[in-house]
Amino acid sequence: MELLPADTSPDVHERSADVAVLPIGSLEQHGPHLPLTTDTVVAATVAARIADAHPVRLLPPVTFSCSHEHAAWPGTVSLSATTLVAIVRDVADSLRRDGVRTLVLVNGHGGNYVLGNVVQEASLGPLPMALFPQVHDWAAARVAAGLVTSDEADMHAGELETSVLLHFHPHLVRPHYARADHDAEHRPHLLSRGLQEYSESGVVGRPSLASAEKGRAVVASLVSSFAAYR
């Protein structure tokens, strides 16, 4: 499936969608079996499926964000929180002038804490925003897909992310994912010491439990949950 929208300007005009979805990913390590672009791929995949099912304007993804806790691994690139906020607000300003009434941020990276504050402030206008998926959306998706690991235990490059890529982009998953499990459910100093304090490989979770069918069900559940955000 395509990760970038192929709309022309006339396509956007004809559709006249007043809700836009902006996938936000990252460029950060995802262990030895998933690409650095995993969060971007997941966010863009979810957003594309949302656009297939709902009348929204699909935007291309933001591919860098706040990944400082992964800085110990080669390839990780981060933006400051200030820069990420500026990007989102500039996009929102452009969309508002073009007739969009709501911007939904489809966030693929758990470390983008600042997006919650952006959405909170945007509730005052001029362009309201929403942040998707929320914790309860992920929880419903885990149940729907029959995932074994919890959200806390499956923090990074584990069962959920590996499953999504196995279904939608299997060529991106290295074959040794079944041997990449690492348990680090308790990470009290993650933000101050980085993930390297808890995982040598960068994995936190059990990718060995992943399957393509789980990945399909996770995204299908999220697409259904999105209806409440329009």
Side-chain angles (χ1 to χ4, degrees):
M1 65 178 294
E2 297 290 338
L3 290 177
L4 296 177
D7 287 341
T8 64
S9 187
D11 291 335
V12 172
H13 176 73
E14 182 178 352
R15 191 173 298 117
S16 298
D18 59 2
V19 176
V21 292
L22 176 63
I24 300 178
S26 71
L27 187 68
E28 64 185 39
Q29 69 82 23
H30 272 75
H33 64 288
L34 295 182
L36 291 155
T37 55
T38 292
D39 288 344
T40 300
V41 171
V42 171
T45 298
V46 172
R49 289 297 180 178
I50 286 170
D52 288 340
H54 301 279
V56 300
R57 182 189 301 189
L58 177 63
L59 301 172
V62 176
T63 57
F64 302 99
S65 60
C66 304
S67 302
H68 306 86
E69 67 273 28
H70 300 280
W73 285 271
T76 297
V77 176
S78 288
L79 300 179
S80 69
T82 302
T83 299
L84 181 58
V85 169
I87 290 171
V88 171
R89 287 179 174 162
D90 284 353
V91 170
D93 284 343
S94 292
L95 293 170
R96 178 181 54 81
R97 291 192 295 270
D98 202 26
V100 170
R101 65 170 178 82
T102 302
L103 173 60
V104 182
L105 310 178
V106 179
N107 182 37
H109 173 47
N112 290 333
Y113 308 106
V114 71
L115 294 180
N117 295 114
V118 174
V119 169
Q120 180 187 36
E121 293 176 15
S123 67
L124 302 176
L127 181 71
M129 299 185 201
L131 184 59
F132 179 82
Q134 295 285 344
V135 172
H136 58 276
D137 301 311
W138 284 119
R142 287 181 174 279
V143 172
L147 268 61
V148 176
T149 48
S150 68
D151 182 63
E152 186 67 20
D154 190 37
M155 177 250 185
H156 201 66
E159 184 180 9
L160 188 149
E161 289 183 315
T162 305
S163 291
V164 171
L165 265 64
L166 280 174
H167 180 72
F168 292 97
H169 311 281
H171 63 288
L172 296 179
V173 182
R174 303 292 175 92
H176 51 272
Y177 72 89
R179 303 189 300 276
D181 291 4
H182 178 73
D183 178 27
E185 186 168 353
H186 302 292
R187 305 175 297 274
H189 305 289
L190 174 64
L191 294 184
S192 58
R193 299 180 184 174
L195 188 61
Q196 71 272 17
E197 180 84 3
Y198 305 100
S199 175
E200 183 177 345
S201 69
V203 175
V204 176
R206 299 176 65 188
S208 66
L209 299 174
S211 73
E213 176 54 29
K214 289 178 180 179
R216 183 205 63 77
V218 163
V219 175
S221 176
L222 293 176
V223 170
S224 178
S225 295
F226 180 82
Y229 292 80
R230 289 178 49 216

